[in-house]
Amino acid sequence: MEYTPHISDSFLHMLQVPSSTPPAEVVETMNPDLYLQNSLTKMSEFHYPVEDLPILKKFLEDWGLTCVYQTCIGILVKFESQLEKWKSDLNIVDIDKRTELAETSTLDISMNKANLEPPLKSFKLSQELNVDVILNSSTQGSLILDYYRQNNKLNDGIRSTLVDILIGQDTYFMKIGCNKNPKGKLYAKFYNSMRNLKNTGLVHTTTKLEKNKTGSGNQEKDGWTDREFVSENEIDYILDELKHNDSPFPDLEKNWKASVNYRLNYIKNSESTASILKTWKQYSIPYGHKLIDIDYHALFPNGDSIYQNFEEKSPKIFDLLMEKVKDINCRKILDKIQSSDNNISENSKNAALIYLLHAVFAPTSKKITKDENGKKNLIKYSIKDSQDSLIVFGESVEAMQHHFQSLRTQGNPIQPFIFIVGSLFAQREILVYFDTIIYKVHSIIRSVEVCYKIFHVFNLEYPTQSYIVWLFIQNIFFGLKSKFDKPHSKLAQVLSELK
């Protein structure tokens, strides 16, 4: 008998040599050879009903072909069953059915690349993320939920597990704010996956020309300098007195407050910090940091007090340091605080807290250095680099001058920082360095406050090495958040834990 060849020809050949006679009742109802040939020529289209499988199995056992059922048909049936279940779970339409629907549609659909999207793409776009459902559907996810209910937080190891579970669901997130790229483990895994797909050509890569056509290229301006300040009226006499007279500090303070809007407009339009300090020379007097307080209050009249927040939140921060600090040198500092709690001054504890924050928010940025041959090297900033950009220790002011010279030699910008004459646990003097000005203050908290306010009044950027630490100080101690702050996953995690 002639029939169209199929992939099951070898199977048909085996069935044409039965080892025993089929049961009589089967012969009475149908011709076995004809039944098998007609069935097998349509095997690729036939979906075996589950209720017919025992009958088929009995036929093959009677004919001595049990192995055929166990290998060929059994595997095929199981595969088709699992395939149908998988398609049903993902709401995927078969290619044949999609083609059939396209042919009956009244729309004129052109056969271009846009109409040949893979079936999974529509599913990914239409699927809504429900983290609760995803976690409850897995054993690890349920354990994570139980842990969070008991502790109201997640540790780093559990967060990694959570990311793996979400990645397994093909669920991603969009980038935040105006920065170039988002951060975090979830985005990193997504980025690596997309890079592999682009390298293989499965995902289209956007060229620079395409980006220029679609993007505006405009970026929002950072800082408070976008704001407008209405200058005070009839202040010429006050400005003249500030310019030419050395008034007692109470009079200076009064005049300073009376001209604050005029001065902020001047700072906003100035090209450099040097020109500001030259025009407003009062910043350089020993109590110049109190004038900075006046300007900062005009900028942020509802800002939080660092003194109150520091006292309330430092115990929780120390607990967090005990949990998260892994650096050996920083652990020694923590151990010393624990072992001699009553013998350490409040200033030393506060200095240690600020100093150890750098071990929690280890820098992620990199620097370019030059060796003695002039060759450039790209090196990641260390915890020590971050610490030195905020607090520097030395035995004398001359040591600070040496530090300045070292920074200038490296070509690094010298931004406001704290200099402690002495050591972390024995401070003889606490100084704040700003451009060519040195302010002497009475406590570590005051030095952090002055340094922080200088950054904002003069619209300076935080040091790259300690950027995340300064953002933490800004958020937790001053209660200030800005849409221009660069998001950082570690910072968001810690701030959440300290609520």
Side-chain angles (χ1 to χ4, degrees), residues 317 321 352-362 469 472-473 477:
I317 296 175
L321 293 174
L353 186 149
I354 298 298
Y355 198 68
L356 294 174
L357 283 174
H358 302 265
V360 176
F361 303 109
V469 174
F472 175 82
I473 293 171
F477 295 134

Side-chain angles (χ1 to χ4, degrees), residues 407-459:
L407 291 175
R408 293 190 185 97
T409 302
Q410 296 173 15
N412 297 326
I414 303 176
Q415 293 159 295
F417 67 92
I418 301 165
F419 186 85
I420 294 178
V421 179
S423 64
L424 185 63
F425 294 105
Q427 307 104 18
R428 296 195 297 274
E429 284 185 294
I430 303 173
L431 309 171
V432 175
Y433 173 83
F434 168 45
D435 199 80
T436 57
I437 302 170
I438 298 175
Y439 296 131
K440 183 177 180 179
V441 295
H442 62 279
S443 71
I444 289 294
I445 296 180
R446 177 57 180 166
S447 68
V448 172
E449 180 185 30
V450 172
C451 209
Y452 168 82
K453 289 181 176 180
I454 289 172
F455 280 116
H456 285 268
V457 169
F458 292 90
N459 199 34

Side-chain angles (χ1 to χ4, degrees), residues 18 20-32 55 58-64:
S20 63
T21 305
E25 60 271 18
V26 176
V27 177
E28 292 176 1
T29 57
M30 66 182 72
N31 185 319
I55 301 174
K58 188 176 186 305
F59 287 161
L60 295 174
E61 286 176 348
D62 290 342
W63 299 342

Side-chain angles (χ1 to χ4, degrees), residues 324-336:
K324 295 187 177 295
V325 170
K326 308 299 180 184
D327 180 75
I328 296 176
N329 293 325
C330 293
R331 288 300 311 181
K332 291 179 180 178
I333 296 174
L334 278 174
D335 293 340
K336 183 172 182 178

Side-chain angles (χ1 to χ4, degrees), residues 82-319:
Q82 293 297 323
L83 180 61
E84 290 301 323
K85 183 178 182 300
W86 178 73
K87 290 179 180 178
S88 175
D89 291 342
L90 297 186
N91 196 23
I92 298 174
V93 181
D94 287 339
I95 295 176
D96 293 339
K97 293 181 181 178
R98 281 159 34 108
T99 305
E100 182 181 345
L101 290 172
E103 290 174 352
T104 58
S105 174
T106 57
L107 297 175
D108 183 18
I109 302 176
S110 60
M111 294 301 292
N112 54 30
K113 184 176 181 181
N115 296 323
L116 295 176
E117 297 292 348
L120 281 175
K121 189 174 183 72
S122 60
F123 162 70
K124 278 174 158 278
L125 292 175
S126 62
Q127 185 188 30
E128 294 183 0
L129 171 62
N130 191 326
V131 176
D132 188 57
V133 172
I134 293 173
L135 295 181
N136 278 305
S137 63
S138 69
T139 303
Q140 286 183 318
S142 299
L143 293 174
I144 290 174
L145 291 175
D146 290 341
Y147 182 91
Y148 183 79
R149 292 188 189 103
Q150 295 175 10
N151 300 278
N152 201 30
K153 65 177 183 178
L154 301 178
N155 60 39
D156 293 339
I158 293 177
R159 286 190 179 88
S160 297
T161 304
L162 177 60
V163 168
D164 291 336
I165 292 174
L166 295 180
I167 286 292
Q169 297 293 323
D170 294 329
T171 305
Y172 311 114
F173 64 88
M174 301 300 290
K175 58 185 178 182
I176 306 171
C178 58
N179 67 307
K180 185 176 180 181
N181 289 323
K183 303 293 183 181
K185 295 179 180 178
L186 194 62
Y187 174 75
K189 290 194 176 185
F190 168 72
Y191 174 81
N192 292 335
S193 299
M194 292 301 297
R195 182 179 59 184
N196 292 334
L197 291 174
K198 289 178 180 179
N199 290 339
T200 56
L202 294 176
V203 173
H204 175 65
T205 303
T206 305
T207 63
K208 290 184 178 180
L209 180 61
E210 291 171 328
K211 289 180 180 178
N212 292 335
K213 289 181 179 179
T214 58
S216 63
N218 296 327
Q219 294 183 348
E220 294 180 90
K221 191 176 180 181
D222 196 358
W224 57 264
T225 53
D226 285 339
R227 292 160 54 184
E228 294 294 333
F229 298 91
V230 180
S231 296
E232 299 82 357
N233 295 323
E234 299 179 358
I235 59 169
D236 291 343
Y237 172 77
I238 293 175
L239 296 177
D240 188 67
E241 186 172 352
L242 289 172
K243 185 175 183 180
H244 299 290
N245 294 341
D246 294 329
S247 306
F249 189 79
D251 294 337
L252 171 61
E253 190 175 28
K254 181 180 177 181
N255 290 335
W256 201 262
K257 290 179 180 178
S259 59
V260 63
N261 284 355
Y262 177 88
R263 184 168 47 261
L264 291 177
N265 280 329
Y266 182 92
I267 293 174
K268 181 177 71 172
N269 297 317
S270 296
E271 295 182 356
S272 66
T273 305
S275 64
I276 299 171
L277 298 179
K278 183 178 180 181
T279 302
W280 305 91
K281 57 183 181 179
Q282 290 80 4
Y283 281 123
S284 61
I285 66 175
Y287 289 101
H289 53 88
K290 293 187 176 181
L291 304 179
I292 293 175
D293 288 337
I294 296 172
D295 295 340
Y296 181 86
H297 181 72
L299 290 172
F300 308 101
N302 300 319
D304 290 356
S305 167
I306 185 176
Y307 299 95
Q308 180 179 350
N309 286 337
F310 203 99
E311 183 178 357
E312 290 178 357
K313 298 176 180 180
S314 58
K316 277 190 175 181
I317 296 175
F318 268 114
D319 291 340

